[in-house]
Amino acid sequence: MRVVEPEGIDDLTEYEIEDRRVLERRYRTYSISALRAALPIDEVFVAHAQFMRAVNAVSRVYELARETSMPQGMYLEGPVGTGKSSVLRYFKASLPKQTLFDDERRVITIRAKKNASAAQLVGAVLRCYGYPIRRVANDTLAPRVDVTKEAIRQKGTRLIGIDEASNLLHSPTRRLASAKGDGTSATDYICEVIDDTCIGVVLLGSERLASLEQTDPALASRLTTHERLENFFYDDEWVNFARAFLGQCTGFDLSFFLSGAGLKTLHRVVEGNVRTFKRFATECCLCTANEGAGVLLESHAAKAFRAVFGGASEHQCPYAHAS
């Protein structure tokens, strides 16, 4: 799925900037052959249970949107790196193709910037429909709000996903008591669009979204489904996820991790976080391939640990004795 936003670094999240820096470091550190062999690991995907619960909730919103006058929407919150943005990408990729045209506009995705305003959201929505508008001024906001609603109707859009949706809410430094019942211009715009077009809305964001009913009850009343993605506990779900992921890392023998002790140590290293897990697994494969090997050794895991977490990390490397 393509998020239609300007590509300047100011439009990236802290974690996307970090991912970009990680990729730049890898290109400086590893051979071309190692990169070709290992970087596909970044694309490995496992549809684990809590992820699919969120996907099914999005599917329900999509199916009911525009079929009823009742608002349809949900908000998905959780820690960074648990796969919230991937939920919408996976869902959109799973939709069957219907026509040669405008399939990409059945579901559109935008990102809320810090301290997001109605004008920022309107501009982002218009760009999804091909309008060459970088910024929306306050004096042109009202007519362009109407244009976004007309575009939604004409293009048959059923669902809009808003990533980094915690930025829609009041600053966390503002007391909840003073913010209660008081939405922002951005959330007022979302409510208006839901009411006038019956489109489904999915918000994706940090744990701050969990307080939506207190901070913005008007919006919460329209987004009745609340889902959460969490870091994995060390349990059977984690074991099944890790084994399924590592088993898809074709070209590499990662059996070093697959014992009971290996999986438990791996969970402790990545703290059950999907993003960190993928980053560490990819780095392990890069270290292995860079030495012309196909079997991961403890020394490779130690090098990968230092590359991912750094020498000054508070994490103690459990593979350090192999350095």
Side-chain angles (χ1 to χ4, degrees):
M1 180 181 294
R2 184 168 58 94
V3 178
V4 183
E5 284 283 358
E7 296 180 354
I9 196 166
D10 290 340
D11 295 309
L12 300 177
T13 68
E14 171 187 349
Y15 303 97
E16 287 171 325
I17 293 171
E18 181 184 0
D19 284 343
R20 176 181 288 185
R21 289 170 178 163
V22 166
L23 190 60
E24 291 171 352
R25 173 186 57 76
R26 286 171 172 173
Y27 277 107
R28 291 195 304 269
T29 305
Y30 299 109
S31 68
I32 296 299
S33 60
L35 291 165
R36 286 175 177 168
L39 285 185
I41 306 304
D42 267 336
E43 303 302 319
V44 172
F45 176 79
V46 175
H48 56 91
Q50 60 172 313
F51 182 92
M52 290 310 299
R53 284 195 295 270
V55 170
N56 291 335
V58 174
S59 180
R60 179 181 179 278
V61 172
Y62 178 87
E63 293 297 334
L64 293 177
R66 305 192 67 169
E67 301 297 331
T68 171
S69 60
M70 293 293 292
Q72 302 297 330
M74 64 173 282
Y75 51 108
L76 174 62
E77 49 91 8
V80 169
T82 50
K84 299 182 295 296
S85 300
S86 298
V87 167
L88 272 183
R89 288 197 296 270
Y90 180 91
F91 171 75
K92 186 173 182 181
S94 71
L95 289 174
K97 295 295 182 182
Q98 293 181 342
T99 66
L100 293 177
F101 306 100
D102 286 334
D103 268 359
E104 286 296 310
R105 289 168 179 171
R106 285 182 291 166
V107 178
I108 62 173
T109 305
I110 63 175
R111 172 182 291 135
K113 299 179 184 178
K114 291 181 179 178
N115 301 313
S117 65
Q120 186 256 312
L121 295 189
V122 168
V125 171
L126 289 175
R127 288 191 293 275
C128 286
Y129 293 111
Y131 289 84
I133 296 173
R134 180 166 179 83
R135 297 188 184 279
V136 175
N138 288 331
D139 58 346
T140 62
L141 179 59
R144 287 181 173 174
V145 167
D146 292 336
V147 172
T148 64
K149 292 187 287 187
E150 188 59 28
I152 288 168
R153 296 187 189 100
Q154 288 186 359
K155 299 299 183 181
T157 305
R158 298 180 67 91
L159 188 146
I160 179 170
I162 304 178
D163 210 349
E164 300 294 327
S166 309
N167 291 331
L168 299 171
L169 308 181
H170 285 295
S171 167
T173 59
R174 183 174 179 178
R175 292 185 304 154
L176 289 182
S178 65
K180 186 172 182 179
D182 182 13
T184 65
S185 69
T187 60
D188 288 346
Y189 166 67
I190 296 169
C191 290
E192 180 178 344
V193 168
I194 292 173
D195 292 345
D196 290 354
T197 69
C198 298
I199 194 174
V201 171
V202 175
L203 304 186
L204 312 171
S206 71
E207 294 97 323
R208 282 183 60 206
L209 279 183
S211 64
L212 186 63
E213 291 185 0
Q214 289 74 46
T215 55
D216 199 324
L219 180 58
S221 69
R222 293 165 171 81
L223 310 179
T224 56
T225 303
H226 178 190
E227 294 288 342
R228 176 176 173 81
L229 288 181
E230 300 185 69
N231 292 323
F232 284 100
F233 295 104
Y234 183 71
D235 55 16
D236 288 343
E237 189 173 6
W238 158 258
V239 169
N240 292 337
F241 165 78
R243 284 178 172 166
F245 186 98
L246 296 171
Q248 292 185 56
C249 298
T250 55
F252 295 93
D253 180 349
L254 304 181
S255 55
F256 170 77
F257 288 133
L258 293 177
S259 67
L263 288 168
K264 192 168 187 177
T265 300
L266 183 57
H267 178 270
R268 186 170 73 251
V269 166
V270 303
E271 298 180 330
N273 185 269
V274 172
R275 185 199 298 268
T276 307
F277 173 81
K278 290 186 70 173
R279 182 173 291 172
F280 182 61
T282 302
E283 205 76 33
C284 284
C285 292
L286 282 165
C287 291
T288 302
N290 208 48
E291 294 187 5
V295 178
L296 176 72
L297 303 177
E298 190 171 19
S299 58
H300 301 143
K303 290 179 181 177
F305 185 97
R306 289 195 299 272
V308 170
F309 298 104
S313 170
E314 295 179 357
H315 298 271
Q316 183 175 3
C317 178
Y319 315 112
H321 58 279
S323 301

